[in-house]
Amino acid sequence: SVNYNHPPVFLGEHSTAHSSLLGAGSWVDGSVTNCVLSFGAVVEEGAVLSRSVIMPGARIGRGVRIHKAMVGEGAVIGDNCEIGSPDQEGITVVDSMVRMPEGSKIL
């Protein structure tokens, strides 16, 4: 159904989304697989996300790799960061409103 109170999902020309739930107003120009993106989440070009939850208003920069993680509300993940690992047993949690500098890693 159409929700006239929220903006639509935006899928850019570089985007792919497989088995994922994209919330109203989310913006994707990277790749998301088995993910949940909340309202207003942004995934920039070249970012690759798998088995992760991105909370409202979080921004994922270019070239970021996120696997088995939860990124908190309003967090900003700088370009070329790496969070989590496909081989890990648990999940990696990034708190709300965190600003992660470009090139950082949390494994």
Side-chain angles (χ1 to χ4, degrees), residues 16-20 30-37 43 47-54 60 64-71 83-88 90-92:
T16 59
H18 300 284
S19 301
S20 297
S31 173
V32 294
T33 304
N34 298 318
C35 292
V36 175
L37 272 59
V43 178
V48 176
L49 285 64
S50 68
R51 300 179 66 189
S52 297
V53 176
I54 311 301
I60 311 301
V64 170
R65 301 287 183 259
I66 299 179
H67 305 283
K68 294 184 183 175
M70 185 163 118
V71 177
I83 300 172
S85 165
D87 302 327
Q88 71 189 38
I91 63 168
T92 303

Side-chain angles (χ1 to χ4, degrees), residues 4-105:
Y4 296 101
N5 295 318
H6 296 290
V9 171
F10 171 80
L11 296 173
E13 68 178 274
H14 304 103
S15 68
T16 59
H18 300 284
S19 301
S20 297
L21 176 63
L22 307 178
S26 58
W27 188 91
V28 179
D29 203 21
S31 173
V32 294
T33 304
N34 298 318
C35 292
V36 175
L37 272 59
S38 299
F39 178 82
V42 174
V43 178
E44 295 189 20
E45 183 180 342
V48 176
L49 285 64
S50 68
R51 300 179 66 189
S52 297
V53 176
I54 311 301
M55 299 303 285
R59 180 173 213 88
I60 311 301
R62 295 175 182 266
V64 170
R65 301 287 183 259
I66 299 179
H67 305 283
K68 294 184 183 175
M70 185 163 118
V71 177
E73 186 172 353
V76 177
I77 310 302
D79 294 347
N80 302 308
C81 288
E82 189 173 343
I83 300 172
S85 165
D87 302 327
Q88 71 189 38
E89 289 187 29
I91 63 168
T92 303
V93 178
V94 177
D95 205 359
S96 297
M97 305 307 290
V98 165
R99 301 291 183 260
M100 196 167 160
E102 182 176 332
S104 299
K105 293 184 180 184

